[in-house]
Amino acid sequence: MINLIYNSFTRIRLIAGITFLEAVRQKFFSSTLLISVSLLGSSNFLQQFDFGTGELKFIVDFGFGALFFFGSILSIIATAHLFFNEIENRTALTLLSKPVHKIEFLTGKFLGVHFLLLIFTLVITLVLSSILFWREVSLLERIDSGLAIEGSLVRYSDVFLFGFLQWMKFGILSAITLLVASFSNTNLYTMVVSFFVLIICQLQYIARDVYSTMEAGWERLLVMLVGLIFPNFQIYNLGDQLVFDMNRVVPATTIVQLTAYALIYCATFILLAQMNFRRREI
């Protein structure tokens, strides 16, 4: 039994590694990363204006927005492209003709893309932190040199915390794309549907607000089902609670709950994708 589990993890790890290397070689990844870093770097031009500490808030909001926007695009397009690339090149058939289960194939593809998204998120958060540190030092020297000794205006650990939470969200989005791809016949259809689901997940909190004010009935049940089927991405948008409020710290229990929330949805969508993929002719 232990050998079977070990062999299964080994196959998943190998598929994930191949997927990651293939994804890194794609021009779309390098282009997306370059554009994201360039946009963040463009915030350096803000030094020409005297925004005071509001400049740092603008840079943080701009960086968080760029991370979510380009990370979401990369999650959907990379997952869909790598999946259909395996189907069209018949490499999926070659892999599945060997002792590789379809759930292992899908899990390996997911983990490969998810690790790619980790690298993307880490690079963006590092660049954002570097820009913030540079501008913070400049602002403190310009406003009052004494403040530089008293403390920092930015809590940099929260920048990476926000990046981690976005990475969790990208994982859910990647799993959703994998689910759509498991029954879709085209790459374009998968991407379009996944982007629509992304919008639904971003606006899912509206369904929960409506649900809380509705009376018992089939409409309330329908809204409740929508709230359960589609994950609520708004719970990961803690940017306003992070970075600048030195007296407010996100509890560790909240981080654990958000991580568990993402893992449950990822596992559920991958299992649903496996059910569809089992009935699919390759």
Side-chain angles (χ1 to χ4, degrees):
M1 182 66 180
I2 297 178
N3 287 335
L4 290 175
I5 296 175
Y6 175 78
N7 292 333
S8 178
F9 277 115
T10 300
R11 290 191 290 267
I12 291 174
R13 178 177 57 82
L14 291 174
I15 295 173
I18 295 172
T19 301
F20 172 74
L21 292 176
E22 184 181 354
V24 170
R25 296 190 188 103
Q26 298 294 325
K27 293 182 179 179
F28 180 77
F29 169 69
S30 56
S31 300
T32 304
L33 185 60
L34 181 61
I35 293 173
S36 303
V37 172
S38 299
L39 283 176
L40 285 178
S42 67
S43 62
N44 292 336
F45 293 105
L46 293 174
Q47 62 182 322
Q48 302 174 13
F49 306 95
D50 188 10
F51 290 145
T53 56
E55 176 185 338
L56 297 178
K57 181 66 166 62
F58 179 84
I59 294 174
V60 167
D61 292 340
F62 187 81
F64 285 173
L67 174 60
F68 166 72
F69 179 76
F70 289 105
S72 299
I73 292 176
L74 185 61
S75 301
I76 293 174
I77 295 182
T79 304
H81 176 75
L82 291 170
F83 178 85
F84 282 99
N85 192 43
E86 297 276 11
I87 301 297
E88 294 170 0
N89 293 336
R90 311 299 289 176
T91 52
L93 183 60
T94 304
L95 277 173
L96 295 174
S97 63
K98 299 177 180 180
V100 175
H101 300 289
K102 292 187 175 181
I103 185 64
E104 296 172 345
F105 173 78
L106 293 173
T107 304
K109 302 302 289 184
F110 168 78
L111 292 177
V113 174
H114 201 37
F115 188 68
L116 176 79
L117 294 168
L118 175 62
I119 300 300
F120 174 83
T121 304
L122 185 60
V123 171
I124 297 301
T125 50
L126 283 172
V127 172
L128 178 58
S129 298
S130 301
I131 294 173
L132 283 172
F133 179 76
W134 177 49
R135 295 305 301 145
E136 180 191 13
V137 172
S138 176
L139 284 171
L140 288 176
E141 291 177 350
R142 190 171 62 205
I143 297 173
D144 187 351
S145 59
L147 293 176
I149 301 176
E150 294 178 9
S152 173
L153 296 175
V154 179
R155 191 163 52 199
Y156 292 95
S157 60
D158 284 355
V159 177
F160 290 92
L161 174 58
F162 182 84
F164 172 76
L165 295 177
Q166 294 304 295
W167 180 54
M168 289 289 101
K169 183 163 65 174
F170 297 154
I172 300 175
L173 187 56
S174 180
I176 291 174
T177 305
L178 204 59
L179 172 60
V180 177
S182 67
F183 61 80
S184 173
N185 292 322
T186 63
N187 195 349
L188 179 61
Y189 176 83
T190 300
M191 290 188 291
V192 171
V193 172
S194 298
F195 275 113
F196 272 114
V197 174
L198 169 62
I199 296 174
I200 294 174
C201 292
Q202 280 293 113
L203 301 178
Q204 197 256 34
Y205 70 96
I206 298 177
R208 291 185 179 272
D209 292 342
V210 173
Y211 167 77
S212 62
T213 59
M214 293 178 65
E215 297 181 356
W218 68 269
E219 297 92 348
R220 180 184 173 92
L221 179 61
L222 179 62
V223 174
M224 182 183 69
L225 288 175
V226 171
L228 290 175
I229 294 173
F230 296 99
N232 181 11
F233 280 176
Q234 284 296 322
I235 62 177
Y236 291 95
N237 295 338
L238 301 178
D240 293 337
Q241 304 177 28
L242 303 173
V243 182
F244 296 109
D245 193 346
M246 299 301 174
N247 298 320
R248 186 175 185 180
V249 180
V250 178
T253 54
T254 300
I255 300 173
V256 172
Q257 290 172 355
L258 292 175
T259 303
Y261 183 86
L263 293 176
I264 291 172
Y265 268 105
C266 287
T268 301
F269 287 132
I270 291 174
L271 289 174
L272 291 174
Q274 188 258 351
M275 294 174 60
N276 289 325
F277 200 48
R278 286 176 57 186
R279 298 190 295 265
R280 179 172 183 157
E281 294 184 4
I282 301 176

